[in-house]
Amino acid sequence: MRDTGYGIPANALPTLFDKFTRVRHDGAPKGLGLGLAFCRLAVEAHGGQIGVDSVLDEGSSFWFTLPIEAPPTSQLKL
Ligand SMILES: Nc1ncnc2c1ncn2[C@@H]1O[C@H](COP(=O)(O)OP(=O)(O)OP(=O)(O)O)[C@@H](O)[C@H]1O
Ligand SMILES: [Mg+2]
């Protein structure tokens, strides 16, 4: 998914998918910082990878992969 929004500063990228990570853009951050952490949990539970390519003030491109073969047995308890 690609956007032409704020972009994400390079120093925030390594922890962007961690719980409670929020990046300040204009004004105070509004969320809890859980959305992307949840996305990573879901993708990794299915044996995939998630990431983002982003340039500050130009936009962001979020991507994920999923394996074609059967996923590993998940430890995720729903
Ligand atoms: N498309 C985007 N462009 C620029 N920054 C983004 C984008 N998506 C997320 N971010 C930044 O990454 C941070 C973490 O996102 P995440 O979705 O995990 O949390 P949140 O949106 O702050 O809160 P929540 O999803 O829990 O309501 C956000 O605070 C935001 O600053
Ligand atoms: Mg969010």
Side-chain angles (χ1 to χ4, degrees):
M1 188 175 74
R2 186 183 303 273
D3 67 52
T4 54
Y6 293 110
I8 296 158
N11 65 359
L13 291 174
T15 56
L16 193 72
F17 292 85
D18 291 353
K19 276 186 290 189
F20 306 121
T21 293
R22 301 181 304 178
V23 181
R24 179 176 287 270
H25 298 291
D26 287 342
K30 297 184 182 67
L32 290 175
L34 287 175
L36 293 176
F38 174 80
C39 292
R40 182 171 68 180
L41 190 66
V43 168
E44 291 184 351
H46 288 85
Q49 293 182 307
I50 192 168
V52 60
D53 302 312
S54 186
V55 178
L56 192 60
D57 296 328
E58 291 190 12
S60 307
S61 180
F62 287 85
W63 56 264
F64 66 89
T65 65
L66 291 173
I68 294 174
E69 69 269 22
T73 304
S74 174
Q75 303 300 311
L76 187 62
K77 299 277 189 291
L78 296 176

